[in-house]
Amino acid sequence: MKKIELAFLHPAAEKFLPLLKKYRAVLIVLLTGMLLLASGGWFKDAKQVKTAEKGAEPTFAVFDLDTFEQDLGEKLSAIEGAGRVSLMLSLDETEEAVYAVDVRQTQTGENGKSYESSLTVLSDGSYGQSPVSVKNLLPTFRGAVVLCDGADNTAVRYAVTQAVSTICGVGTDKVTVLKMAAGT
C-alpha cells in the first residue's frame, strides 16, 4: 500500500489520520445520518407533504343532525320494499367538546389542599388563541320515528327498525316505524 504524502499537513493532523482509518465505518454512518438530517425532507412522498401543509392540529367534523337524517333516510330507502322514507331523530345529548386543562395542586397547611385549573390554549402567532380540543363527543340519540311506504310489511318494518337501532345506538323499543300517508 502506498503511503500518502502529508508534508503539507500539521503534525496534529498526522496523529489524527490513524484514528480516521480505524473508525472510518463509524464516521461514514455519522456523516450519512447528518446528510439525511440536512436533507430536510427531500425524500418525503406526496401524501406526507400534503398532511404537513394542512398543519399538525387535528380537526374534528361537526355533527349536523339534518344532514345525518337525510343520509340515513337515503340509506333506509334502499332497503327492498321500504319505498320513500322520512326520518325524525330525537337527541338525548348534543355534541360536546372536551378541552385540555392544566390542573395545579398546592398544599396549604396540614390538611388543606388547593386546586387551580386553567384551560390550555394554543396561540397561532397572530394574536389569536384557540383552546386545545382533546376530543369531541358525538350526540346520543333518544329515539327515532320513521315513516315509509313499506311499513305495512312486517319484514320491511323489522329491517328498518334494526337498521336505525344499529346506526343510532338505541334499542329497538326506541324506534317507531309507521306507514307513510299516500299524499305525503
Side-chain angles (χ1 to χ4, degrees):
M1 201 162 153
K2 195 168 153 186
K3 180 130 175 140
I4 302 173
E5 277 297 319
L6 301 175
F8 62 92
L9 292 177
H10 192 271
E14 290 180 3
K15 293 179 183 177
F16 189 63
L17 190 60
L19 287 174
L20 285 177
K21 287 181 180 179
K22 184 176 181 182
Y23 296 109
R24 68 176 166 243
V26 174
L27 184 65
I28 290 172
V29 170
L30 286 174
L31 288 175
T32 305
M34 289 174 59
L35 180 66
L36 286 174
L37 286 173
S39 70
W42 291 340
F43 304 108
K44 287 184 182 177
D45 61 348
K47 193 176 194 180
Q48 289 174 333
V49 171
K50 286 181 183 176
T51 34
E53 290 173 355
K54 289 182 182 176
E57 185 177 332
T59 57
F60 299 103
V62 178
F63 179 78
D64 183 24
L65 182 62
D66 293 331
T67 305
F68 184 77
E69 284 179 347
Q70 186 178 9
D71 290 345
L72 184 55
E74 289 174 9
K75 301 290 188 262
L76 292 174
S77 65
I79 294 175
E80 186 176 343
R84 295 176 299 143
V85 174
S86 178
L87 178 70
M88 184 177 75
L89 297 172
S90 173
L91 294 178
D92 195 25
E93 295 178 12
T94 58
E95 186 175 13
E96 179 182 353
V98 178
Y99 297 107
V101 178
D102 289 331
V103 178
R104 287 181 284 284
Q105 175 184 353
T106 57
Q107 198 82 18
T108 57
E110 290 181 18
N111 295 329
K113 290 183 181 178
S114 171
Y115 293 97
E116 181 182 325
S117 65
S118 62
L119 186 66
T120 304
V121 294
L122 182 65
S123 177
D124 64 0
S126 62
Y127 303 107
Q129 293 182 342
S130 60
V132 176
S133 179
V134 177
K135 63 181 173 179
N136 279 4
L137 302 174
L138 293 176
T140 55
F141 295 100
R142 180 180 298 150
V145 175
V146 182
L147 301 174
C148 68
D149 289 330
D152 51 353
N153 185 340
T154 309
V156 171
R157 189 177 321 127
Y158 179 74
V160 169
T161 302
Q162 290 297 317
V164 173
S165 173
T166 302
I167 295 295
C168 297
V170 296
T172 56
D173 61 324
K174 305 286 185 187
V175 179
T176 303
V177 180
L178 303 169
K179 179 148 178 74
M180 186 181 285
T184 315

